[in-house]
Amino acid sequence: MPPPADIVKVAIEWPGANAQLIEMDQKRALSSIIREVCDGWSLSGSEQFALRYADGPQLYITEQSRGEIKNGTILRLAISPARAARQLLERIQSHGIDARLEALKELAKLSADPTFAAEFINMEGIGTLARLVESGTHFGEMLAFTLTAFLELMDHGIVSWDLISLSFIKQIAGYVNQPMVDVSILQRSLAILESMVLNSHSLYHRVAQEITVGQLIGHLSNQEIQTYAIALINALFLKAPEDRRQEEYTNPLEQHLTEMASTLAQKHLRSIILNHVIRGNRPIKAEMAHQLYVLQVLTFNLLEERMMTKMDPNDQAQRDIIFELRRIAFDGENDPTGTEKRKAMYTKDYKMLGFTNHVNPAMDFTQTPPGMLALDNMLYLAKVHQDTYIRIVLENSSREDKHECPFGRCAIELTRMLCEILQVGELPNEGCNDYHPMFFTHDRAWEEFFCVCIQLLNKTWKEMRATAEDFNKVMQVVREQITRALAMKPSSLDQLKNKLRGLNYSEILRLRQSERMSQDDFQSPPIIELRERIQPEILELIKQQRLNRLCEGSCFRKLGNRRRQEKFWFCRLSLNHKVLHYGDLDESPQGEVPFELLSDKIPVSDIKSVVTGKDCPHMKEKSALKQNKEVLELAFSVLYDPDETLNFVAPNKYEYCIWTDGLCALLGREMGSDLTRSDLDTLISMEMKLRLLDLENITIPEAPPPVPKEPSSYNFTYNYS
């Protein structure tokens, strides 16, 4: 009979005594159980004791957490959290350095326990630790344990960070600003500053006055503290006031963390992250990947203001940008005389530029998103990649009207799509580490990314031979091309271009078909079951086909060192599958060779194994020169008693697969050539489709007819009743 659900069998330890094995009744009060355990060891004052886990974090067990205890758990009787907190606080304030260090070590460990933390904080323990830091008298290991305990206690959220004094902040910032500080102290100092910024708006301003990007850049070359430094950069930027973040519409990496406006610092920071973090000699761990992802998201979020800004059709400065796009594309001369004539010419040019509103293209930028961000991207392309811009515009203006790719409309929709893909304007997801190294390789990564993608869109439009009615279909394909390329994590924009070249429209169609087939074949439980039922009979069909081909036989060339005239030999399997017959021929046969002409034979029962490639006896003496590599891939040998071999070099890969598969089937071994796997997948897919159409009476023929030798006509024949 199983024990009641409320009974948990545990072992409880106490230093210097034998462990007690008890059945803990979860319905009883925890204090009653502790009293019983203390009585077992003759310990008085049970209210001064508590239970902790013996392994792992060794957390205290409370009435709220006791439900997590499992059968077989080892517990430990320890002094209660309140008593432990009181003792540690007294030892920390003692005059003995050794006693204080040991107390701080134990405190750093216990502070992770929420029960202990609550007791220690109630005794004004955090204030005591803060005063120790502010005094500046602690150094080295003692200071490291003090900072660890302080951070652990504050992370429980029991005390507000707003209570931290300015002198404490200055002291912590001083550790970050000092040129030579112990790594452990620096890590904890950066972590404390990050928590201050993230948990208190008022503390952000104080920290920002003490820490500059230059000081943090100096720490990024140290691999032990890179993650902490980038985390603080992210925290400072995340909590920065909106006006500072958006000043001069700069990249967050372009900004001094206190003034938010230093292009030199941006370039230096990006270069340091790229060379010392992303391309460093150590793999990027999950926490670092997350911080890089956060930095990437915050970088792109600076685009949100422009993305959500509508164009004012009456703003002459904004309209001048559209005029500039027209001028660069068509190299307009001085305006002709006459207002009506000038309007007519501009309308024609705006139509060729692909704007939806030919009369007033400013109206195309009044929808948000993408708002003015699309116009910014178009202007960047026109100015920085002028040849590409002109080529795209003129190339489409020379096409038939129904096949032209509207540049303006495409650029606007593409900008909107890129904002969705890169989640512009959304806060970072906790635990996500989906950063892209290529965005750290260029000072204007967003704009360059747009330029690569607009060229991709134009190319895909041509490949699809699209018309205006196909616009949405083209955008769907382009989105798939971009997301698939980004999933490959290209390390640079040039590598992104290479990935996109391999993801043309034909390849996207192939991948879609393959994934649909894969989903049909492998993901649906009924389909998986059907495939498993079909596979054995299909394998048997392939095996019979291979053996039938061996019964037909094949012709092989004889290889010699000095060959003036080609010689041939023929090999075939007997109809009862018991003997291999072979013999020399003067010329290549035009049909089936009778057994009478084949003078030699090998009983199948004497065959020991089949070897391929470089394991073949006749290949071991061949050199590894390029001319022999093809021969090596087509070579196989039959090893038979007594220590004899029959060596083959197949005329092509198809015959090689047929013979090696057939010989393996003959010996009762698993067939494993590429041809076998391809046949299996093809035939299973064929038969599954037929069975799913209720054609379930497919029969496997006893002796399938021979298959033509040429791979182009290779197939199987079914009989349907």
Side-chain angles (χ1 to χ4, degrees):
M1 182 176 178
D6 294 325
I7 301 299
V8 182
K9 296 182 179 181
V10 299
I12 302 179
E13 299 177 338
W14 175 257
N18 294 327
Q20 294 187 36
L21 302 178
I22 69 169
E23 292 185 352
M24 180 183 290
D25 187 350
Q26 295 287 44
K27 292 181 179 179
R28 289 178 60 192
L30 195 58
S31 58
S32 174
I33 296 174
I34 294 173
R35 186 182 310 111
E36 184 178 306
V37 171
C38 289
D39 291 343
W41 283 313
S42 301
L43 298 174
S44 59
S46 61
E47 66 279 359
Q48 298 293 322
F49 293 93
L51 293 176
R52 291 170 57 186
Y53 288 98
D55 301 320
Q58 300 183 11
L59 300 177
Y60 279 101
I61 295 170
T62 63
E63 290 289 354
Q64 292 73 31
S65 64
R66 62 185 295 181
E68 300 174 4
I69 302 174
K70 307 297 182 185
N71 276 319
T73 302
I74 301 177
L75 305 179
R76 178 176 299 159
L77 186 66
I79 59 174
S80 66
R83 184 179 174 187
R86 190 179 307 105
Q87 289 180 358
L88 286 175
L89 196 57
E90 293 172 356
R91 289 162 60 192
I92 288 170
Q93 295 172 316
S94 67
H95 297 290
I97 295 179
D98 292 339
R100 189 183 302 177
L101 177 60
E102 289 302 317
L104 288 169
K105 281 184 181 180
E106 190 173 349
L107 177 63
K109 183 178 178 180
L110 283 175
S111 295
D113 189 301
T115 307
F116 170 84
E119 296 290 347
F120 189 81
I121 291 171
N122 287 337
M123 298 176 186
E124 303 295 332
I126 286 183
T128 301
L129 295 179
R131 287 190 293 273
L132 290 176
V133 174
E134 292 170 10
S135 67
T137 57
H138 283 49
F139 303 97
E141 197 176 19
M142 187 175 293
L143 177 59
F145 286 122
T146 304
L147 297 178
T148 301
F150 179 87
L151 184 59
E152 291 283 1
L153 291 167
M154 292 299 297
D155 280 348
H156 291 293
I158 300 173
V159 179
S160 172
W161 283 89
D162 288 319
L163 300 177
I164 303 302
S165 66
L166 180 59
S167 59
F168 181 85
I169 297 174
K170 287 182 175 293
Q171 190 67 38
I172 297 295
Y175 298 138
V176 175
N177 296 333
Q178 289 178 17
M180 298 296 293
V181 179
D182 185 76
V183 169
S184 59
I185 295 174
L186 194 51
Q187 288 176 341
R188 289 154 178 79
S189 298
L190 290 168
I192 290 172
L193 292 173
E194 179 197 1
S195 293
M196 288 180 183
V197 172
L198 292 177
N199 290 285
S200 171
H201 179 71
S202 61
L203 290 185
Y204 157 76
H205 296 282
R206 296 181 180 179
V207 173
Q209 292 172 358
E210 303 294 332
I211 301 295
T212 65
V213 68
Q215 287 137 1
L216 295 175
I217 286 176
H219 294 307
L220 290 177
S221 57
N222 187 334
Q223 295 178 333
E224 300 296 329
I225 56 177
Q226 288 172 341
T227 306
Y228 297 89
I230 295 179
L232 180 54
I233 292 173
N234 288 336
L236 283 164
F237 178 66
L238 187 63
K239 294 298 181 178
E242 194 68 24
D243 56 344
R244 285 189 173 185
R245 246 188 283 173
Q246 295 292 350
E247 187 177 4
E248 298 184 8
Y249 177 51
T250 53
N251 184 294
L253 298 178
E254 292 178 357
Q255 304 168 12
H256 190 292
L257 293 182
T258 53
E259 299 300 331
M260 296 292 166
S262 173
T263 302
L264 181 62
Q266 173 267 329
K267 291 181 178 179
H268 191 193
L269 178 58
R270 184 188 62 76
S271 175
I272 290 289
I273 290 176
L274 180 64
N275 295 321
H276 291 273
V277 180
I278 296 176
R279 295 177 179 173
N281 55 9
R282 291 173 59 175
I284 294 179
K285 296 181 180 179
E287 180 57 30
M288 173 59 82
H290 173 68
Q291 294 301 335
L292 292 174
Y293 155 77
V294 172
L295 184 56
Q296 173 185 289
V297 170
L298 296 178
T299 300
F300 289 137
N301 281 358
L302 281 182
L303 305 168
E304 183 181 11
E305 184 185 25
R306 294 293 283 179
M307 179 182 75
M308 301 307 295
T309 299
K310 296 181 179 180
M311 186 171 186
D312 182 1
N314 299 318
D315 189 323
Q316 187 59 44
Q318 295 180 359
R319 295 174 64 186
D320 286 344
I321 299 176
I322 298 178
F323 294 154
E324 182 69 3
L325 291 174
R326 190 204 68 81
R327 185 195 66 77
I328 295 174
F330 304 111
D331 195 21
E333 302 294 337
N334 293 331
D335 290 342
T337 57
T339 304
E340 295 301 322
K341 194 172 182 180
R342 184 171 66 249
K343 285 183 178 179
M345 184 187 72
Y346 279 17
T347 299
K348 180 182 177 182
D349 288 348
Y350 292 146
K351 182 177 184 298
M352 294 172 66
L353 278 171
F355 289 112
T356 303
N357 192 319
H358 306 154
V359 177
N360 186 6
M363 299 302 297
D364 287 13
F365 300 95
T366 56
Q367 186 176 359
T368 58
M372 289 295 291
L373 185 59
L375 189 60
D376 295 336
N377 287 340
M378 295 167 71
L379 184 62
Y380 181 88
L381 174 68
K383 284 186 169 295
V384 179
H385 300 280
Q386 193 170 116
D387 292 342
T388 299
Y389 168 70
I390 294 173
R391 175 179 58 79
I392 291 175
V393 173
L394 297 184
E395 185 180 86
N396 285 287
S397 63
S398 63
R399 293 182 190 166
E400 299 177 47
D401 286 347
K402 67 176 184 178
H403 285 297
E404 65 180 7
C405 177
F407 170 73
R409 183 184 176 190
C410 287
I412 292 170
E413 289 302 316
L414 178 63
T415 302
R416 188 202 319 275
M417 179 196 298
L418 296 183
C419 289
E420 292 174 358
I421 292 174
L422 297 176
Q423 301 178 330
V424 175
E426 297 184 17
L427 290 175
N429 293 325
E430 191 66 34
C432 182
N433 54 11
D434 186 25
Y435 81 98
H436 298 281
M438 69 177 183
F439 291 128
F440 293 86
T441 63
H442 200 283
D443 295 332
R444 304 295 295 272
W446 165 263
E447 291 86 351
E448 289 293 324
F449 182 48
F450 168 83
C451 294
V452 171
C453 293
I454 193 68
Q455 295 177 71
L456 168 71
L457 195 159
N458 188 60
K459 175 174 171 287
T460 301
W461 186 283
K462 290 188 290 184
E463 291 174 349
M464 295 178 66
R465 298 186 57 79
T467 62
E469 290 77 15
D470 301 319
F471 185 86
N472 291 333
K473 293 180 181 178
V474 175
M475 296 305 296
Q476 289 174 4
V477 173
V478 171
R479 175 187 282 271
E480 188 169 347
Q481 290 172 313
I482 294 171
T483 53
R484 286 182 183 274
L486 288 177
M488 300 178 193
K489 299 293 183 184
S491 59
S492 66
L493 290 164
D494 288 337
Q495 198 174 100
L496 172 68
K497 295 176 186 177
N498 292 332
K499 302 291 185 187
L500 291 173
R501 273 193 286 269
L503 289 169
N504 54 33
Y505 178 54
S506 299
E507 178 65 11
I508 292 296
L509 290 180
R510 188 193 69 78
L511 289 170
R512 285 178 175 179
Q513 177 65 20
S514 174
E515 288 171 0
R516 278 196 295 268
M517 292 295 295
S518 174
Q519 186 174 13
D520 291 342
D521 287 353
F522 299 108
Q523 294 184 7
S524 173
I527 298 298
I528 293 173
E529 182 181 354
L530 179 57
R531 181 183 179 87
E532 291 175 349
R533 291 174 56 187
I534 291 174
Q535 182 163 321
E537 55 192 67
I538 295 295
L539 278 171
E540 183 62 25
L541 172 64
I542 296 172
K543 174 182 175 182
Q544 292 299 325
Q545 189 272 341
R546 299 294 195 263
L547 292 175
N548 285 348
R549 283 288 291 110
L550 266 61
C551 290
E552 281 187 352
S554 297
C555 181
F556 302 91
R557 287 188 178 90
K558 277 197 164 186
L559 296 182
N561 292 331
R562 296 180 180 179
R563 187 179 58 205
R564 294 185 178 182
Q565 182 178 355
E566 284 190 322
K567 292 187 178 181
F568 303 90
W569 66 285
F570 197 87
C571 185
R572 62 179 296 189
L573 180 66
S574 64
L575 297 178
N576 61 6
H577 299 173
K578 292 185 177 181
V579 180
L580 274 179
H581 296 265
Y582 65 97
D584 294 341
L585 299 176
D586 293 332
E587 58 184 15
S588 179
Q590 299 303 313
E592 185 177 296
V593 178
F595 292 106
E596 294 78 14
L597 297 180
L598 303 177
S599 57
D600 299 309
K601 62 182 179 180
I602 303 172
V604 172
S605 60
D606 289 346
I607 297 177
K608 295 187 292 186
S609 63
V610 177
V611 294
T612 60
K614 61 183 180 180
D615 295 327
C616 298
H618 61 310
M619 289 292 111
K620 291 182 178 179
E621 296 180 358
K622 293 285 183 182
S623 66
L625 296 177
K626 186 177 293 185
Q627 59 266 30
N628 289 322
K629 287 186 178 179
E630 183 178 353
V631 176
L632 191 66
E633 292 176 353
L634 300 176
F636 61 99
S637 298
V638 173
L639 309 183
Y640 62 97
D641 290 330
D643 298 329
E644 299 289 341
T645 62
L646 183 61
N647 298 319
F648 299 75
V649 176
N652 52 53
K653 191 68 175 176
Y654 172 77
E655 288 289 338
Y656 170 85
C657 291
I658 288 292
W659 272 84
T660 53
D661 279 348
L663 290 170
C664 286
L666 194 64
L667 299 177
R669 298 173 186 173
E670 184 179 353
M671 301 178 291
S673 73
D674 294 336
L675 201 56
T676 300
R677 290 191 290 270
S678 175
D679 291 343
L680 185 62
D681 291 338
T682 301
L683 291 172
I684 286 178
S685 297
M686 290 169 55
E687 190 154 343
M688 285 172 65
K689 290 175 183 177
L690 290 170
R691 293 198 181 190
L692 291 172
L693 290 171
D694 293 329
L695 299 177
E696 298 200 1
N697 51 353
I698 301 173
T699 58
I700 305 297
E702 294 183 2
V707 178
K709 294 185 179 180
E710 292 299 324
S712 60
S713 60
Y714 181 62
N715 56 51
F716 287 85
T717 304
Y718 288 88
N719 289 336
Y720 301 98
S721 57

